[in-house]
Amino acid sequence: MRSRSEPAGTVALPGAPVAARLGRLGRACPPDLRLALLLGLGLRAAFSLFAFALATIVPVRPACALSVPAPQMHPAGLGFRLLGVWERYDACFYQRIAAGGYRPGDEGVAFFPLYPALTRAAATVLGGDLTLAGLVVSGVATVAALVGLQRLVARDFGPAVARRATLALALFPTAIFLFVPYAEALYLALAVWALYLARRGEWGRAAPLALLTGLARTQGVLLAVPLAWEVYRQWRQAGDRRAWHAALVPLLPAAAFGAFFVFGRLASGLTLFQAEQAWGGGSAAPWTLLLHSGQYIVAHADVVEASNLLALGLAVALLAAGARRLPLTYTLYAVPQIAVILLREGGRSPLMSASRFVLVLFPCFVVLALLLGEGRRHRAWLIGSAALLTLALTLYVGGSFVG
């Protein structure tokens, strides 16, 4: 029977009610979640199709076997083209930790435990496949990070700037690390949501996220700096210091960091700093590090190291340009992480992985969104960035060390 609101002569198409329900569901979905799902699911699908096609056409070798053996690998066939292409470098360490934890003498103690723990938990409902589980954890974390980023930035700069910053981050040349079995997406999600809730004064909800950030990556301990400033800023504005529990929240990332430091030492016999040194890394003055990076680029014609230097330079320039426009909380989140990059010399190359570390410095993308504005400059940046992202994806799938 035709609905009263349906005009005479209208023919009901198969699937039309389903499409209508999906349309209503889409309209009911918050705009920030819609954009996050579009980017998260859309890029995940595009990357997977691209990697499958590339691994089908071009001979690609498994990388875990070349770096660190990991269990439940997908070394050949359809499994390799679908999942094995994502088993690269740090992903191998995370997968091995997810399978067997930290072992005596294991240099993997430099990798923090939250991501492999979540990977193992996800694997229990995904047939035990650790690679698939790692991809799912990263995918969910990416969507959460992009939603949190929009809400945090929209609170301070409005939804238009938040959307542009989110697009710039999601299409950054090293944004591939939000979608592979690495901890970047998880760390970013925890950090932006912790800061968002802290800036709203919701310290009880920010507390567990701050604690988990200290278990996600080495740099998680630095979240204590912007959180401490937020406590002081809100106390000064409100003039009410009865909410003493807020002062405990900045201590949580450091507490988690310290707990894992002790646990890792007991489990492996190594501290995370000793593990990093075992790979040839060390410390250096910033000017020495930059000089070594330039010399390395010239001597080896290394495109990846050049991208590390360019990404770091861009991050410093953007933070300097936005110093007066950004909330101090944003600056205190990014600057300590920049300082760590400038004081740490990598084993593979002087600025090893710097372009990946820059990816989680969301204030840089906020400044970029403010400077580019709407229109041609913004679109041109996104097109160029997406082209470099495709190049990074090609190198990663091909087994090259990208970051």
Side-chain angles (χ1 to χ4, degrees):
M1 182 179 295
R2 183 181 294 116
S3 168
R4 290 184 180 181
S5 61
E6 185 178 320
T10 300
V11 178
L13 298 175
V18 175
R21 285 196 292 271
L22 290 175
R24 287 195 295 271
L25 182 62
R27 289 190 293 273
C29 184
D32 51 16
L33 179 57
R34 280 206 305 270
L35 180 59
L37 288 171
L38 177 64
L39 290 171
L41 299 181
L43 289 174
R44 173 73 271 168
F47 289 171
S48 296
L49 289 172
F50 181 87
F52 182 87
L54 186 64
T56 301
I57 297 170
V58 179
V60 177
R61 295 182 299 171
C64 276
L66 302 177
S67 54
V68 51
Q72 304 177 25
M73 288 173 53
H74 304 81
L78 181 62
F80 175 74
R81 294 194 295 275
L82 289 173
L83 295 172
V85 290
W86 307 111
E87 296 166 344
R88 300 281 185 259
Y89 301 101
D90 288 13
C92 308
F93 276 101
Y94 283 123
Q95 185 167 321
R96 195 175 75 179
I97 295 166
Y102 300 96
R103 300 173 296 181
D106 188 359
E107 297 169 1
V109 74
F111 295 85
F112 274 54
L114 184 59
Y115 180 76
L118 292 176
T119 296
R120 178 156 187 162
T124 61
V125 295
L126 293 171
D129 194 308
L130 290 170
T131 305
L132 176 60
L135 291 171
V136 169
V137 171
S138 292
V140 172
T142 295
V143 173
L146 297 181
V147 173
L149 176 62
Q150 289 178 83
R151 295 191 181 181
L152 173 61
V153 178
R155 183 182 183 278
D156 295 309
F157 295 97
V161 173
R163 285 193 299 271
R164 294 201 302 272
T166 301
L167 284 168
L169 188 149
L171 294 176
F172 192 66
T174 53
I176 180 179
F177 290 105
L178 297 177
F179 297 90
V180 299
Y182 277 53
E184 265 61 35
L186 179 62
Y187 169 77
L188 180 62
L190 292 168
V192 295
W193 276 103
L195 290 174
Y196 171 67
L197 294 170
R199 284 182 66 73
R200 288 166 56 93
E202 298 182 38
W203 292 101
R205 297 173 66 189
L209 300 178
L211 181 71
L212 291 174
T213 305
L215 296 174
R217 270 186 49 185
T218 308
Q219 292 88 338
V221 68
L222 300 175
L223 190 66
V225 179
L227 289 176
W229 165 252
E230 274 299 316
V231 171
Y232 171 73
R233 181 185 70 84
Q234 293 177 28
W235 278 2
R236 185 183 62 184
Q237 289 182 352
D240 181 4
R241 302 188 181 184
R242 288 175 295 177
W244 59 267
H245 64 280
L248 299 178
V249 177
L251 302 178
L252 295 177
F257 179 93
F260 176 67
F261 186 93
V262 173
F263 171 80
R265 177 68 173 83
L266 294 174
S268 70
L270 300 171
T271 68
L272 61 95
F273 302 117
Q274 290 171 330
E276 289 183 350
Q277 289 172 358
W279 297 330
S283 58
W287 48 90
T288 302
L289 180 59
L290 295 175
L291 176 62
H292 288 174
S293 179
Q295 292 172 339
Y296 186 92
I297 293 169
V298 172
H300 298 86
D302 194 292
V303 174
V304 173
E305 180 67 5
S307 70
N308 288 329
L309 184 59
L310 287 172
L312 180 59
L314 176 65
V316 172
L318 288 172
L319 289 174
R324 294 188 177 183
R325 303 181 69 176
L326 291 176
L328 186 56
T329 302
Y330 287 37
T331 303
L332 291 176
Y333 168 81
V335 168
Q337 297 190 61
I338 290 285
V340 169
I341 297 173
L342 285 169
L343 293 171
R344 168 190 167 275
E345 185 159 11
R348 182 181 292 268
S349 67
L351 286 173
M352 183 180 74
S353 301
S355 59
R356 171 161 61 95
F357 298 152
V358 165
L359 174 66
V360 298
L361 302 183
F362 71 86
C364 298
F365 299 98
V366 176
V367 177
L368 189 63
L370 291 170
L371 293 177
L372 292 177
E374 300 279 3
R376 292 183 179 179
R377 290 185 300 175
H378 175 62
R379 290 192 295 270
W381 174 272
L382 293 181
I383 292 170
S385 188
L388 293 175
L389 174 58
T390 304
L391 175 60
L393 175 62
T394 304
L395 293 172
Y396 182 91
V397 172
S400 298
F401 184 84
V402 180

